[in-house]
Amino acid sequence: MTPSLATPPSSQRIALRGDLLDFTSMPEWGAVDSKAVRFRPDHWLLIDAGCIVAAQPGDQVPDDSWAKHDHRGRLILPGFIDSHVHSPQLDVIASYGTELLDWLNTYTFPAERRYADPAQAQDGATRFLDALLAHGTTSAVVFPTVHKVSVDALFAAAQARGMRLVAGKVLMDRNAPDGLRDDVDHAARDCVDLIDRWHGKGRLAYAVTVRFAPTSTPDQLAMAGRLCSAYPGVYMQTHLAENRDEVRWVHELFPDARSYLDVYDRAGLLNTRSVFAHGIWLDDDDRKALRDARAQVAHSPSSNLFLGSGLFDWKAAEAAGVAVSMATDVGGGTSLSMLRTLGDAYKVQAMAGQRLTAWKALHASTLGAAAALGLASEIGSLTAGCAADVCVWDWAVGPVAQRRMDVARGLHERVFAWMTLADERNLVAAFVAGARRYERDAR
Ligand code: GUN
Ligand code: ZN
């Protein structure tokens, strides 16, 4: 598919040379040798009018019609996809001493109130998207705030950068402070306006954004469900079963629901375009319902560790056939780096005696996330026809990582050590639809 782009892509023909790494299918759990991995060492990646058109071995040098960027000895991956992150929460990242519900009241809600101001919303949106790009993330599913201006600012900034972005106005009509609550009718009007203005414009898509069950009345949840059926192309994003006190609260607020997930299901919010952040405290029936709906869980290990929320059982999700994507959940998460997040994901699984391969982790933050969003023909891989959302990485920064690379034997060993030791300092350049949007050494 040729992506339609609001910002014209680079008209230049570009050829990037390096070690190309991506996936052609989902790697199996625990397999360090996997046919799903496509590693093409020393290849040229050819990009024309913002799209990937071909790849060819390094010794087949493209002709002079191609602007050549020689990154020999570097790694080239599809841009990362962060499936759950909060744009206004750069202001509260790394806040001390609380679990989820206190953290929201103490830090997060006060910070989000500032986004009622259009100037703050605009500043925050550009800072956030530029930071994503500087961490190697070219697409994201984002929570701005309850304020319509925060959504406009975020979509406008994403459009200016040509980014594939999913976002929507946060819905909250109870259990939130003054300045952060809406009401059902007003919120519905805002959502319809925003869908008309942004959904399907270039690379932007709207998500009906329920913050979480405790901050929406049953009437508001039902309204959100009606929006999902009235606009079948929109996404739905929310939080699910993150923290034990939160889960208890949901049972008190919705005593008739079988489970936390059932609250959303009854409201018509469980479908193939639903992105549920966390999903730690689920049972087998919940996992089956997620699988049957082909919904996804946005696993957020950094946030889960930082807020003491719990350890996500990825193996159980996998066994049940639930799609799992990777997310930073900044500001609960402590970094926008998907690589740091994948390192945390490995450690979370290790606590449960499980081993997360580099393939599984990298797939879930590229092609796996794209497939779960129904966007695999556009993002998440280095396949001809996809948008050229591509990042160039150093294999090693500094002597410790360099030594580790020097002694690594097989491909998995090397890539796993890279995934674990690398971070945003390894990022050399980020391209969005073939336009260079981040360059480390630019001064
Ligand atoms: N649950 C409801 N709101 C939030 C939020 O902003 N961050 C996280 N991690 N969980 C939530
Ligand atoms: Zn979140």
Side-chain angles (χ1 to χ4, degrees):
M1 186 201 91
T2 303
S4 69
L5 304 168
T7 307
S10 165
S11 55
Q12 234 186 355
R13 303 174 99 196
I14 302 168
L16 300 179
R17 184 174 188 172
D19 300 330
L20 310 185
L21 176 65
D22 67 343
F23 299 89
T24 53
S25 59
M26 183 161 91
E28 317 73 43
W29 187 268
V32 295
D33 292 315
S34 171
K35 289 198 167 47
V37 180
R38 178 164 58 179
F39 184 58
R40 293 172 285 183
D42 191 17
H43 270 62
W44 291 100
L45 186 71
L46 304 185
I47 297 167
D48 193 0
C51 282
I52 294 168
V53 291
Q56 61 195 42
D59 56 8
Q60 290 175 25
V61 181
D63 66 34
D64 288 346
S65 68
W66 299 86
K68 292 185 266 303
H69 300 239
D70 193 342
H71 291 293
R72 231 173 302 179
R74 287 181 166 144
L75 192 52
I76 298 180
L77 256 75
F80 286 127
I81 302 164
D82 186 340
S83 62
H84 176 76
V85 60
H86 299 255
S87 52
Q89 293 183 14
L90 290 187
D91 292 11
V92 297
I93 194 169
S95 291
Y96 173 76
T98 51
E99 285 203 2
L100 175 65
L101 300 177
D102 283 346
W103 176 81
L104 286 171
N105 287 317
T106 310
Y107 301 113
T108 307
F109 288 157
E112 292 193 8
R113 271 221 297 243
R114 295 201 280 269
Y115 278 64
D117 172 3
Q120 294 261 0
Q122 207 179 327
D123 262 21
T126 57
R127 184 165 51 247
F128 170 75
L129 292 180
D130 287 341
L132 276 189
L133 293 169
H135 286 76
T137 297
T138 50
S139 284
V141 183
V142 186
F143 273 59
T145 68
V146 74
H147 313 103
K148 202 174 174 187
V149 288
S150 77
V151 190
D152 280 324
L154 185 64
F155 276 135
Q159 188 172 49
R161 288 159 182 74
M163 293 172 76
R164 165 51 83 176
L165 197 98
V166 179
K169 182 203 119 60
V170 175
L171 296 168
M172 289 203 272
D173 67 346
R174 66 168 167 175
N175 294 321
D178 290 349
L180 279 186
R181 282 189 315 277
D182 50 21
D183 61 62
V184 176
D185 293 340
H186 198 176
R189 276 199 301 277
D190 280 357
C191 290
V192 168
D193 268 9
L194 288 163
I195 291 169
D196 286 346
R197 186 143 64 243
W198 296 109
H199 182 64
K201 299 285 153 59
R203 305 186 75 191
L204 309 176
Y206 194 83
V208 172
T209 302
V210 173
R211 178 165 216 124
F212 67 157
T215 45
S216 285
T217 57
D219 281 352
Q220 189 173 63
L221 294 176
M223 180 276 284
R226 284 194 299 276
L227 282 175
C228 291
S229 358
Y231 298 90
V234 302
Y235 292 91
M236 195 293 297
Q237 58 175 342
T238 190
H239 295 88
L240 168 68
E242 173 179 4
N243 166 288
R244 276 177 285 198
D245 289 339
E246 171 211 15
V247 174
R248 268 191 290 276
W249 194 20
V250 170
H251 283 303
E252 284 164 27
L253 291 169
F254 300 90
D256 296 338
R258 193 202 69 77
S259 68
Y260 193 157
L261 180 65
D262 190 43
V263 173
Y264 296 135
D265 194 4
R266 288 170 180 222
L269 297 169
L270 174 58
N271 62 59
T272 183
R273 301 173 83 78
S274 306
V275 182
F276 293 102
H278 309 295
I280 298 170
W281 305 103
L282 300 178
D283 63 18
D284 287 344
D285 289 345
D286 293 326
R287 282 186 276 264
K288 190 169 170 311
L290 287 167
R291 190 263 326 269
D292 290 348
R294 292 183 293 123
Q296 68 181 289
V297 170
H299 173 36
S300 311
S302 165
S303 168
N304 298 162
L305 295 169
F306 186 73
L307 294 177
S309 302
L311 304 176
F312 174 67
D313 191 343
W314 192 332
K315 182 111 188 280
E318 171 94 3
V322 178
V324 177
S325 56
M326 290 300 315
T328 63
D329 190 32
V330 159
T334 52
S335 172
L336 286 177
S337 164
M338 292 299 284
L339 287 169
R340 292 176 192 246
T341 304
L342 301 186
D344 285 341
Y346 178 83
K347 293 168 195 164
V348 166
Q349 295 315 304
M351 287 299 293
Q354 300 296 337
R355 299 295 157 203
L356 182 69
T357 65
W359 307 141
K360 200 81 201 157
L362 289 166
H363 172 266
S365 37
T366 55
L367 182 63
L373 292 167
L375 296 173
S377 59
E378 181 190 329
I379 55 174
S381 81
L382 304 178
T383 301
C386 284
D389 292 355
V390 176
C391 290
V392 181
W393 301 87
D394 277 327
W395 276 102
V397 169
V400 173
Q402 190 56 59
R403 173 65 185 163
R404 186 66 187 88
M405 289 301 142
D406 291 346
V407 298
R409 287 155 307 171
L411 182 62
H412 184 266
E413 182 176 333
R414 192 158 176 233
V415 174
F416 180 78
W418 173 73
M419 179 186 101
T420 307
L421 298 175
D423 57 33
E424 61 277 17
R425 288 167 293 190
N426 293 60
L427 183 66
V428 177
F431 293 82
V432 178
R436 191 164 49 200
R437 299 284 177 194
Y438 170 79
E439 194 180 2
R440 185 181 58 195
D441 300 323
R443 284 282 179 278

